[in-house]
Every structure is written in structure tokens, then in C-alpha cells.
Amino acid sequence: RKEVEQDPGPFNVPEGATVAFNCTYSNSASQSFFWYRQDCRKEPKLLMSVYSSGNEDGRFTAQLNRASQYISLLIRDSKLSDSATYLCVVNLPRGSTLGRLYFGRGTQLTVWP
Amino acid sequence: DTAVSQTPKYLVTQMGNDKSIKCEQNLGHDTMYWYKQDSKKFLKIMFSYNNKELIINETVPNRFSPKSPDKAHLNLHINSLELGDSAVYFCASSPRRNTGELFFGEGSRLTVL
């Protein structure tokens, strides 16, 4: 079983739509969580951290459910520039693996006009 | 100024050859990484160095040898290249270990013929 599982998509949505991505992780001791964005043939870039209480950054909202080992990313009012692959990332605990990051395969989003 | 730069961006070579990829970061970070992204888009850690000291060495063939002459540089040398080594290799840095905030280089696309 992979450490991080994501629906690869693709998700194709019109501009202005709301879209949500989900991610599950297998290790209940996972310590911290992130969403990265990767444009086609580019490097991954940190989009936002995911906090236990949930957090928002403009049109982006991240949620964490530790009981279900589930992370989500909600994008409101989608823009063409949101088209990218969104990577769910989990940091395993200190002491056991020195803070290895595990990346999901990514969910591909295409926003069309 | 590019924060994390790696060269070359593209590398096409024959099986059996030896090649190197260089990486430099000007962010003053203590920790640097090599990640491999294969054709299925999974991003997997290969190595991590903290202040020139190797701290993570995943199950990578010993044909791959990282070298960190100083904390701003982390190079990757690959001996006896195989077809399965074809991938995009990303260098990254972070201000400290055990953090999810990574800054990636643009990637080096290696094709082994």
C-alpha cells in the first residue's frame, strides 16, 4: 500500500467552478501535511500547508481529518491559471525516518474557458 | 536570480555511460535533496544532505553517488546508466531538515537510449 493515495483525475472543470481533491495517507503517525502544485514539465512548488483546524488561502481551502487519515483541497472560483497537477504530501514523523516527505502521484486539473 | 539551479536541464545518453548532474542553491539553506520523478509521475526521495552530511539514503542502486562539497551544492553522479534511469531528477533545498517546505530546481530530464 502506498503511503499517499490520490485520485489521479483528470478533473476538467469550467472557469468559476468549485473543485475538490482528496488524498488519504496510510501512516497514522504522520506529522505534517502539504499541498504542492506542479505545472506541466515544471518543478513542484509549495501551495499551502494543511493544519489540523483547516486553513484557507484566498480561493484555496485545505482540510485535515486525522481520524480518517484524509486530506482535502478545495478550489473556489477556478481560474484558467489553476490548471496544474496538485500533489498531496505527507511528512512522516521525526525519529523514525528523519522527516521524509512522501508525495502522492498527483491529481491533474484542467480549467477550461 | 534562480534560487535552486541545476544543470544540465536535458541529458540524452547511451546505456552504460556515466553522467553527472549539478545543483546549487543560493537560499542559504542547510538541507538539500535529490528526488526522482518517473514516467508515472511519482516523486521519490533519493538522498538528503544536511550541512554536507548524508542523512537520508533511500534504496537507490550504488551506481548513484551524491556529493556535497559544501552546503550550497549537491551533485549527483550516475555510473553505468540503464534504460530504467530515464526520469526527471529534481534537486531541492529546505531551510532545515524535517520540514515540508521544499524549494525545487527546474529538473534535469535524463533520457537513456
Side-chain angles (χ1 to χ4, degrees):
Chain A
R1 184 180 174 187
K2 295 209 182 303
E3 295 288 347
V4 182
E5 300 265 16
Q6 286 183 258
D7 178 352
F11 284 63
N12 297 305
V13 303
E15 263 188 301
T18 296
V19 61
F21 308 135
N22 303 321
C23 164
T24 56
Y25 59 94
S26 59
N27 192 324
S28 60
S30 296
Q31 191 177 47
S32 49
F33 311 88
F34 310 87
W35 283 101
Y36 273 70
R37 169 192 169 132
Q38 186 172 22
D39 292 317
C40 187
R41 300 180 76 87
K42 297 285 190 182
E43 72 274 20
K45 291 183 179 176
L46 178 64
L47 179 65
M48 59 195 301
S49 301
V50 185
Y51 301 123
S52 297
S53 53
N55 49 297
E56 194 172 299
D57 182 1
R59 298 181 292 109
F60 298 82
T61 301
Q63 297 276 358
L64 168 64
N65 184 324
R66 283 191 186 270
S68 303
Q69 295 179 205
Y70 168 101
I71 305 156
S72 65
L73 178 68
L74 181 80
I75 305 176
R76 290 184 299 278
D77 188 22
S78 300
K79 310 290 184 194
L80 296 177
S81 57
D82 293 335
S83 297
T85 297
Y86 291 83
L87 306 171
C88 177
V89 183
V90 171
N91 192 1
L92 284 181
R94 185 196 301 269
S96 62
T97 55
L98 293 176
R100 274 173 181 72
L101 289 184
Y102 285 88
F103 284 75
R105 182 182 173 182
T107 300
Q108 187 181 338
L109 171 67
T110 300
V111 181
W112 46 272
Chain B
D1 280 345
T2 305
V4 182
S5 59
Q6 46 184 117
T7 56
K9 288 190 170 40
Y10 299 95
L11 198 49
V12 180
T13 189
Q14 301 283 344
M15 269 198 317
N17 284 350
D18 303 339
K19 290 294 176 188
S20 293
I21 307 172
K22 295 185 176 182
C23 179
E24 176 182 2
Q25 55 97 1
N26 62 6
L27 296 166
H29 288 168
D30 286 343
T31 311
M32 294 186 72
Y33 311 80
W34 277 110
Y35 278 82
K36 178 181 179 180
Q37 189 169 42
D38 60 24
S39 57
K40 294 182 181 176
K41 305 299 183 188
F42 279 109
L43 200 59
K44 292 182 183 175
I45 190 166
M46 301 173 68
F47 302 102
S48 176
Y49 273 73
N50 189 68
N51 273 320
K52 303 193 298 175
E53 178 190 352
L54 180 67
I55 57 170
I56 293 176
N57 184 349
E58 285 293 275
T59 310
V60 176
N62 58 16
R63 298 181 294 104
F64 290 79
S65 51
K67 278 194 172 48
S68 181
D70 55 62
K71 76 173 194 177
H73 294 85
L74 180 61
N75 304 322
L76 183 66
H77 187 76
I78 315 171
N79 289 326
S80 303
L81 280 157
E82 300 178 357
L83 293 176
D85 297 333
S86 295
V88 181
Y89 292 84
F90 285 101
C91 177
S93 73
S94 62
R96 57 193 177 280
R97 58 168 97 176
N98 199 27
T99 175
E101 189 182 6
L102 266 55
F103 294 79
F104 284 87
E106 293 181 328
S108 296
R109 184 173 295 272
L110 171 66
T111 303
V112 182
L113 303 175

